Amino acid sequence: MRYYAIEGPARLVGSVPISGAKNSVLKLMAAALMVPGEVTLHNVPRITDVVLMSEVLTRLGARVRFEGHSMTIAADGDLHDETPYDLVTKMRASIEVLGPLLARLGRARVALPGGDAIGSRPIDLHLRGLERMGAKIGAEHGYVEAIADRLHGTDIVLEFPSVGATDNLLMAAVTARGTTRIDNAAREPEVQDLAAMLCACGARIEGAGTTTITVEGVDELHPAEHTVLPDRIEAGTFAIGAAATRGDVELIGVRPEHLRLPLEKLEQAGADVTEGTSSVRVTMSGRPRAMDLAVLPYPGFPTDLQPMMMVLLSCAQGASILTENVFESRWLFVDELNRMGSQVRVEGHHAVIRGVERLTGAPVRAPDIRAGAALVLGGLVAHGRTEVHAIEHIERGYEDLPGKLRGLGARITLERA
Ligand code: UD1
């Protein structure tokens, strides 16, 4: 059993390189299935979700080469149409192969996803959209089956700006006959990144990054290279870590415009933020100020940074209310955090956080990727020794988190029990 041991408190100081975005690269890899030829991706993070997605693609018949931070995916031979249960349950994002397989093969069979324990995560919006594009959808024995000779363009209004549904429908629309319009689309930068890669492969997409995306179907895509955009959630994790530990950290290789609201919130908490063209410096002295914060789809405050903000606000002067509007039960780590001395009470969508002077180290378990990273931040802030267990969740989405934190002066080691 591997775990992280952290000796706190730490003060994070120095500069840290930010990796490519997990939530982008997984979709880019799925999209490569649509290209009859080689797609090369650069700035690919070395995280276990990428390894899992490589396995998904390999089982589907693609050849994947991953060297350093570059990956080549060749989906030029015969592809299979079935994505097996054992892989999909390990990573919800594997549902993103549904649109590409359907577009390329005219059929797809994908196990219904599992994934993080952060609330019920249905895929009804993905399926309803595909149906509107002409797919026949059935669900049996834990699998979704979709069939369509050739999808056709249509108007789709998403009930909620789901990131996954927007991505899946966008990919399916790229080679559909005619024009597809997706309204109330997710505006996340990762959706824009996916559209940029698809356009490099010959797709015709307009409006990615806005609420209305228009896709003009093309007959076939061609090989291309693409560089994955920086991970704004990893960057946000270090930025919040800098503020929570009253440190001074420069994030290298980021897109500050993708972090607008998180950085504004850190300023509200008392941090100084300096933006460069591809860097951000966050410094903080003194105790954070309490504040209210609501999580919303992009450009709102990201749900994936909510757990880290809870750690910051746990040590703030005063009481804060944090409202989660994207996932209904993303509070599984609150009991763990409270074991470190925080005073958080959850009621429905709201968490009331009474700031305490100090957290104390404790053994805790990571319930998912982001809550795991938040518990690591908790360990840095807390006095004494913290052990964070179930770190395989953290490794799904963070490239060498302990190494990067050690580079900023933290005392964190990987241990084996
Ligand atoms: C993606 C991110 C995840 C992030 C989330 C929200 C990836 C791999 N993961 O997840 O890190 O936390 O966006 O920013 O990119 N919903 C439905 N029906 C659907 C689809 C979604 O009701 O068909 C609901 C979900 O239950 C949830 C909300 O919509 O309450 C948001 O989900 P969605 O935006 O789809 O998140 P994911 O794409 O799964």
Side-chain angles (χ1 to χ4, degrees):
M1 294 297 269
R2 298 170 320 123
Y3 63 92
Y4 295 154
I6 304 165
E7 288 296 334
R11 180 167 183 262
L12 297 182
V13 176
S15 57
V16 61
I18 299 304
S19 299
K22 170 185 95 76
N23 285 355
S24 186
V25 72
L26 299 176
K27 325 299 173 63
L28 302 177
M29 291 173 72
L33 287 171
M34 300 176 63
V35 182
E38 276 194 2
V39 169
T40 303
L41 301 174
H42 301 291
N43 199 28
V44 176
R46 297 205 68 95
I47 53 177
T48 51
D49 265 11
V50 164
V51 174
L52 268 178
M53 191 54 121
S54 306
E55 238 176 274
V56 170
L57 299 189
T58 307
R59 292 250 210 126
L60 287 169
R63 283 171 291 122
V64 181
R65 220 175 49 239
F66 189 14
E67 283 167 7
H69 289 91
S70 290
M71 174 178 281
T72 303
I73 302 162
D76 44 7
D78 286 342
L79 296 182
H80 313 297
D81 61 0
E82 179 169 322
T83 312
Y85 173 77
D86 60 321
L87 290 175
V88 180
T89 48
K90 283 190 201 150
M91 185 183 57
R92 180 186 156 83
S94 20
I95 193 67
E96 298 295 330
V97 301
L98 185 61
L101 284 180
L102 190 57
R104 176 91 186 262
L105 303 174
R107 57 184 195 281
R109 194 163 182 269
V110 182
L112 282 163
D116 291 331
I118 58 174
S120 148
R121 298 175 84 176
I123 54 162
D124 53 316
L125 302 175
H126 305 230
L127 301 183
R128 230 177 294 146
L130 292 173
E131 261 173 349
R132 281 190 65 81
M133 296 173 76
K136 292 212 172 4
I137 309 268
E140 257 187 7
H141 308 299
Y143 278 78
V144 180
E145 272 182 0
I147 298 176
D149 276 346
R150 185 169 175 193
L151 296 166
H152 58 74
T154 185
D155 283 359
I156 298 165
V157 185
L158 292 176
E159 242 174 85
F160 182 90
S162 151
V163 177
T166 303
D167 289 337
N168 235 334
L169 298 174
L170 174 61
M171 291 187 278
V174 158
T175 53
R177 203 178 323 114
T179 308
T180 304
R181 223 174 89 124
I182 308 171
D183 261 322
N184 200 21
R187 287 182 280 170
E188 268 70 0
E190 294 76 20
V191 175
Q192 293 179 49
D193 204 34
L194 174 62
M197 176 217 153
L198 288 167
C199 286
C201 296
R204 293 173 60 193
I205 302 166
E206 274 178 19
T210 74
T211 50
T212 306
I213 301 178
T214 309
V215 187
E216 207 64 62
V218 297
D219 285 336
E220 204 176 67
L221 297 180
H222 55 70
E225 293 196 19
H226 180 81
T227 300
V228 182
L229 94 170
D231 196 315
R232 66 194 164 95
I233 305 300
E234 188 201 22
T237 304
F238 283 105
I240 298 170
T245 62
R246 305 177 192 185
D248 180 355
V249 172
E250 188 170 29
L251 315 167
I252 307 290
V254 289
R255 300 273 289 273
E257 69 272 24
H258 294 162
L259 284 159
R260 203 103 294 153
L261 206 47
L263 294 177
E264 215 175 289
K265 283 290 170 185
L266 290 181
E267 284 179 325
Q268 205 177 320
D272 282 322
V273 174
T274 319
E275 292 182 15
T277 40
S278 61
S279 66
V280 173
R281 183 171 170 192
V282 179
T283 53
M284 176 93 162
S285 53
R287 201 168 160 192
R289 288 193 288 269
M291 71 176 90
D292 291 348
L293 173 66
V295 164
L296 280 170
Y298 191 84
F301 192 92
T303 175
D304 286 351
L305 289 177
Q306 178 259 98
M308 299 72 163
M309 272 317 262
M310 187 177 287
V311 172
L312 178 83
L313 297 176
S314 286
C315 314
Q317 182 106 42
S320 308
I321 298 178
L322 216 160
T323 304
E324 169 64 63
N325 294 308
V326 175
F327 290 110
E328 80 271 22
S329 53
R330 199 166 194 171
W331 305 120
L332 287 173
F333 72 109
V334 168
D335 288 345
E336 298 294 300
L337 193 59
N338 282 345
R339 299 183 61 243
M340 300 174 84
S342 68
Q343 290 192 15
V344 183
R345 205 183 69 233
V346 172
E347 286 186 10
H349 282 227
H350 308 286
V352 179
I353 305 159
R354 285 200 183 80
V356 295
E357 285 225 10
R358 60 156 62 182
L359 299 179
T360 51
V364 289
R365 283 188 78 76
D368 67 65
I369 306 176
R370 306 302 171 188
L375 290 169
V376 170
L377 294 192
L380 296 174
V381 171
H383 290 246
R385 180 182 166 93
T386 293
E387 288 177 7
V388 180
H389 294 267
I391 55 168
E392 60 280 4
H393 290 296
I394 299 171
E395 292 170 337
R396 285 182 53 192
Y398 287 87
E399 177 170 330
D400 192 18
L401 184 59
K404 289 189 182 186
L405 287 172
R406 273 196 300 274
L408 297 171
R411 285 181 293 162
I412 173 169
T413 49
L414 174 65
E415 304 285 341
R416 276 166 226 278

